[in-house]
Amino acid sequence: MSDNKENSLAVMPVRRTDGTHALRLCLDQGLLTPDMTRRVVGIMDSCPGVTLRATTGQRMNLENVPGDRLDEVVALLGTAIPKCPPGVSVCSGGDLCKLGMQPTRSMADRLLAVIRENGPYPFKVKSGVSGCGMACGLSFVRDVGLVAGAKGWDVYFGGCATSKACPGVRIGKGLSADKALEVVGRALVFYRENGKKRERTSGLMRRLGKEALLSALA
Ligand code: SF4
């Protein structure tokens, strides 16, 4: 197998109740390169019972990894880390989808950078980038959501898909990429400075009201 470092995978081991382990493959926007795929298939060929499952977060899990082969399997894939870095739900966007109004993959990279720069936050920040209003990137129900239109990006903040599901508040409309990300950064600072520990952005919106955020951004 290749030892190309660019294809090295960061993996998060999770112990299952039956004593086996799942290995979360911390993929970048769901991408598996041919080299990564060969490594994964090689492991499934050599470890009977190990399977590959897509997660809801555009990542993959290798399931049923026996405990006595865990270190060996991790070494074949790359490096073990305690927690996958935050990802982003991103659709195919304007580069690939006929309905896409703007490219989404590059925007998702920039959005993640803004999220990283402005933390730490009271709780997790989930994000989504969609190339049109169909919102295949789940942008309306993410803490931070970007939705492309013909003129630019609409920005949503405070959405969630839990039992108290709600769409985010629109805090920007038809913005350039730079302006949309600037607005996101300011909203995240508001969350960082006003959120209570373990309070999601949606809880903050319920507690303070959307006007508090909108006036902070004005
Ligand atoms: S959100 Fe729009 S652009 Fe993105 S995959 Fe769905 S239909 Fe295509």
Side-chain angles (χ1 to χ4, degrees), residues 88-111:
V88 53
S89 307
V90 56
C91 80
S92 309
D95 288 333
L96 296 171
C97 176
K98 64 184 178 188
L99 298 180
M101 305 275 195
Q102 310 282 344
T104 49
R105 303 273 181 204
S106 52
M107 189 60 164
D109 283 338
R110 294 185 67 191
L111 175 60

Side-chain angles (χ1 to χ4, degrees), residues 4-218:
N4 182 347
K5 292 282 187 280
E6 283 184 9
N7 286 301
S8 178
L9 275 160
V11 297
M12 180 180 78
V14 179
R15 187 177 169 79
R16 297 301 198 199
T17 51
D18 65 359
T20 67
H21 288 74
L23 285 174
R24 171 72 46 86
L25 311 182
C26 304
L27 306 177
D28 180 11
Q29 296 189 11
L31 179 71
L32 270 173
T33 66
D35 184 84
M36 292 173 183
T37 307
R38 278 189 287 273
R39 291 174 192 229
V40 169
V41 171
I43 287 164
M44 288 193 289
D45 281 344
S46 66
C47 283
V50 172
T51 53
L52 186 65
R53 181 188 295 273
T55 72
T56 54
Q58 298 187 334
R59 286 174 166 158
M60 304 288 281
N61 274 0
L62 266 178
E63 299 282 355
N64 304 316
V65 178
D68 61 356
R69 298 195 63 180
L70 183 63
D71 291 345
E72 171 200 350
V73 170
V74 168
L76 288 169
L77 290 168
T79 318
I81 57 174
K83 196 162 175 43
C84 281
V88 53
S89 307
V90 56
C91 80
S92 309
D95 288 333
L96 296 171
C97 176
K98 64 184 178 188
L99 298 180
M101 305 275 195
Q102 310 282 344
T104 49
R105 303 273 181 204
S106 52
M107 189 60 164
D109 283 338
R110 294 185 67 191
L111 175 60
L112 272 183
V114 170
I115 292 171
R116 270 196 300 271
E117 276 164 27
N118 287 286
Y121 305 105
F123 206 13
K124 64 178 74 174
V125 172
K126 294 188 173 187
S127 59
V129 179
S130 302
C132 77
M134 296 287 282
C136 300
L138 306 178
S139 305
F140 294 117
V141 288
R142 290 292 186 249
D143 297 280
V144 178
L146 298 177
V147 180
K151 294 183 177 168
W153 294 93
D154 293 352
V155 181
Y156 293 82
F157 191 82
C160 79
T162 67
S163 60
K164 292 181 180 173
C166 61
V169 174
R170 193 173 69 196
I171 59 174
K173 183 167 173 51
L175 304 179
S176 68
D178 288 348
K179 184 66 184 171
L181 293 168
E182 180 200 319
V183 170
V184 168
R186 291 170 62 205
L188 287 169
V189 169
F190 180 85
Y191 174 47
R192 186 183 73 207
E193 294 181 348
N194 294 282
K196 295 180 178 176
K197 191 170 167 50
R198 295 184 68 79
E199 181 180 50
R200 292 285 294 271
T201 57
S202 53
L204 178 69
M205 292 294 95
R206 276 195 298 275
R207 181 166 60 82
L208 298 185
K210 67 179 181 182
E211 292 75 17
L213 171 65
L214 293 174
S215 63
L217 296 177

